[in-house]
Amino acid sequence: MNNSKNNYLPFLLLFIQPIFMASNLVVARGAADFVPPISLAFWRWLVCFLILLPFTFKYLLKNYKEYKNEISKIFILGLLACGICGAFPFIAGKTTTIINMGIIYSSSPIFIILISTLFFREKINLVRILGVTICICGVIAIIIKGNLGLLFQLKFTSGDLWMLGASLGWALYTVYLFHWKSSMPILERFSLIAMFGAISLFPFFILEETYISKTNYNLMFLFWVLFAAISPSIIAFILFNFVNKELGASITGSVLYLYTVYGAVYGTLFFNEKLESFHYLGTVLVFLGIFLIKKKIR
């Protein structure tokens, strides 16, 4: 009975985790006029680390000798997840559209499957490929609002390259997170990932403050940083790391398709956007695709 529950929980969390992950869209839209992008990413992960530190400090201090050989790998994970994926989308939002960002970021699960298959010999079958294809169709249906004509009217900018970098960075993070086995508990490992993410962002934060835009440290700054540190960071990443550990990189990567679906819900709740028929069509396709992706390969 317990094994059945334990097997069911990761798949349940596979659908719950993107609720928190997609709240990053609320941060990206809501904080754009108040906090510079790299500053927001840097303070988000620094505050995230400081929130986690009281709960993880004792373990990190006591068991340093056991995990010190993992430090270089954890730094790379922090650079990928918090540095690249933390800052690039906020930078991209300055010069590209949400439509383009959604299309490009939805390519990340494809990178995940390719990297896992080519470099880690993870098995893939036609059913899983079909699931990925259906997910992509669902995402595109939402992005183009059910109008195929819009698909051929998209224009790409330099911001799209930043988003492509974020998509590839997340794919690498997801794959390495699964294949780099760790002796550390999830919370403690994530605490170090957040710390190294902030460290990797710090030089660029200084450059932004000096030459581009200074941060205004007011209540709006505090609100957005705390929200970003808790919902799309601590909650989303801990759930993601747990699911990734249990189900593997290719299946867990499929949650990015739900990112677009839940983003449409947030747009309705917080930005007065309306749910249309294409949202429902896209949602059904995405859930069907994820069902096929998570089917075990025999």
Side-chain angles (χ1 to χ4, degrees), residues 7-70:
N7 291 334
Y8 176 75
L9 180 61
F11 289 112
L12 177 63
L13 294 178
L14 188 69
F15 293 90
I16 294 176
Q17 185 272 346
I19 295 174
F20 299 97
M21 186 177 180
S23 66
N24 196 48
L25 291 176
V26 179
V27 177
R29 289 193 62 181
D33 295 331
F34 302 100
V35 189
I38 298 179
S39 175
L40 178 60
F42 167 72
W43 286 109
R44 165 191 182 180
W45 291 111
L46 179 60
V47 170
C48 177
F49 168 68
L50 293 176
I51 291 174
L52 293 173
L53 188 58
F55 304 99
T56 60
F57 177 76
K58 186 176 180 180
Y59 173 91
L60 294 176
L61 184 64
K62 182 179 180 180
N63 299 281
Y64 174 73
K65 291 183 179 180
E66 296 181 14
Y67 65 80
K68 66 179 181 180
N69 293 331
E70 300 181 34

Side-chain angles (χ1 to χ4, degrees), residues 71-143:
I71 292 298
S72 60
K73 293 180 179 180
I74 295 175
F75 176 82
I76 293 173
L77 291 175
L79 173 65
L80 291 171
C82 310
I84 293 176
C85 299
F88 280 21
F90 295 147
I91 298 173
K94 297 289 184 180
T95 55
T96 191
T97 65
I98 293 177
I99 292 176
N100 287 25
M101 290 172 70
I103 289 177
I104 295 170
Y105 210 58
S106 68
S107 68
S108 189
I110 300 174
F111 290 137
I112 291 171
I113 291 175
L114 288 175
I115 294 170
S116 298
T117 303
L118 293 176
F119 297 102
F120 294 95
R121 298 180 181 179
E122 186 171 313
K123 294 181 180 179
I124 187 171
N125 61 4
L126 291 177
V127 173
R128 188 167 288 182
I129 293 174
L130 177 62
V132 170
T133 303
I134 293 175
C135 279
I136 293 174
C137 291
V139 170
I140 291 177
I142 292 173
I143 290 170

Side-chain angles (χ1 to χ4, degrees), residues 13 16-21 23 45 48 52 187 190 227-242:
L13 294 178
I16 294 176
Q17 185 272 346
I19 295 174
F20 299 97
M21 186 177 180
S23 66
W45 291 111
C48 177
L52 293 173
L187 189 65
F190 176 62
F227 181 81
I230 294 172
S231 180
S233 299
I234 294 176
I235 299 176
F237 272 71
I238 289 176
L239 291 179
F240 184 88
N241 290 2
F242 172 77

